[in-house]
Amino acid sequence: METKTATAIFEILSSGARLSVFRLLVKYAPDGLIAGEISRMLDIPKTNLSFHLKALTHSCLASMEREGRNTRYKANIPLMLETIAYLTAECCSGDPGQCLQYRKESGIAPEFLPPCCGSETP
Amino acid sequence: METKTATAIFEILSSGARLSVFRLLVKYAPDGLIAGEISRMLDIPKTNLSFHLKALTHSCLASMEREGRNTRYKANIPLMLETIAYLTAECCSGDPGQCLQYRKESGIAPEFLPPCCGSETP
DNA sequence: GACATAGTTCAATTGTTGTTGAATGATTGT
DNA sequence: ACAATCATTCAACAACAATTGAACTATGTC
């Protein structure tokens, strides 16, 4: 992944409205949601939601497809995973021991943490 | 993690300069680097680098400590891991089978992917 | 065809961010 | 004390992002 791609994705997620929309689409993967549902669930005006959905689709973080007079949006989860890999790939110059230490210190349940430095390589 | 915290972090990573700085600090974890080294390695003017380092430390993505006349910066990797967990936590409403499918489609080596939905729960 | 519904685009306003050079603060060495 | 080095702050400008209401397009219903 190129830096330019990654920054574009982080910029998309730097808006509270867009982050909420994206996480909602992640939660409702793989079927996604139609725009009206999103607008109601998050209480975002349609006009503004359109603006943010356009940004999400333009960055490829979401896909859209028409369904009659509705528009269905779905999260691009593989791209999300690629972005996470980009952020963690060179962690600690590849020292698994150090990464494991960080994982422990984070206090997060292991099943919600990325492998980070290959410390959990299967 | 609160939405506000997450958006602040993504906003930090949405600048090419800051993303490069942060990834460099991740790579050089846990020792970190001093400002001058970062400036030279990434070819960013000191003035501008200071601006971005301030943003990084203010968001807690990096810590700083004086060393004589130098200032050493270190990446806050646990916070990075928390942010990743926040983004992936509710993925697919917790359907491991669906998540596994996404992981396969992503084409990324498994050791660089987060567990996502607990599909790799130890 | 007329009407309602679902979304999008447009223009304008408001606010925020990135970058630069010059000036300033802080620490070390002579 | 003086100069050199490392880093930060400041002011100013340019560029960009978020939000809103009104107007518009497209689809489905009577």
Side-chain angles (χ1 to χ4, degrees), chain B residues 65-97:
Chain B
E65 48 191 297
R66 304 260 357 200
E67 281 185 358
R69 57 180 152 188
N70 299 325
T71 313
R72 179 166 296 272
Y73 289 87
K74 299 178 180 178
N76 183 352
I77 291 175
L79 180 58
M80 177 185 78
L81 298 178
E82 276 183 56
T83 308
I84 291 170
Y86 175 79
L87 198 58
T88 59
E90 295 199 88
C91 179
C92 305
S93 299
D95 173 359

Side-chain angles (χ1 to χ4, degrees), chain B residues 21-101:
Chain B
V21 170
F22 181 71
R23 289 187 78 228
L24 195 66
L25 292 178
V26 167
K27 183 174 181 179
Y28 284 85
D31 295 341
L33 295 167
I34 64 175
E37 289 174 329
I38 301 170
S39 176
R40 263 173 261 126
M41 291 167 94
L42 298 179
D43 197 30
I44 299 172
K46 286 190 307 177
T47 303
N48 195 17
L49 181 62
S50 250
F51 172 79
H52 290 303
L53 285 172
K54 189 179 178 184
L56 277 162
T57 51
H58 189 261
S59 70
C60 297
L61 268 176
S63 63
M64 61 176 283
E65 48 191 297
R66 304 260 357 200
E67 281 185 358
R69 57 180 152 188
N70 299 325
T71 313
R72 179 166 296 272
Y73 289 87
K74 299 178 180 178
N76 183 352
I77 291 175
L79 180 58
M80 177 185 78
L81 298 178
E82 276 183 56
T83 308
I84 291 170
Y86 175 79
L87 198 58
T88 59
E90 295 199 88
C91 179
C92 305
S93 299
D95 173 359
Q98 183 57 52
C99 283
L100 191 58
Q101 184 61 31

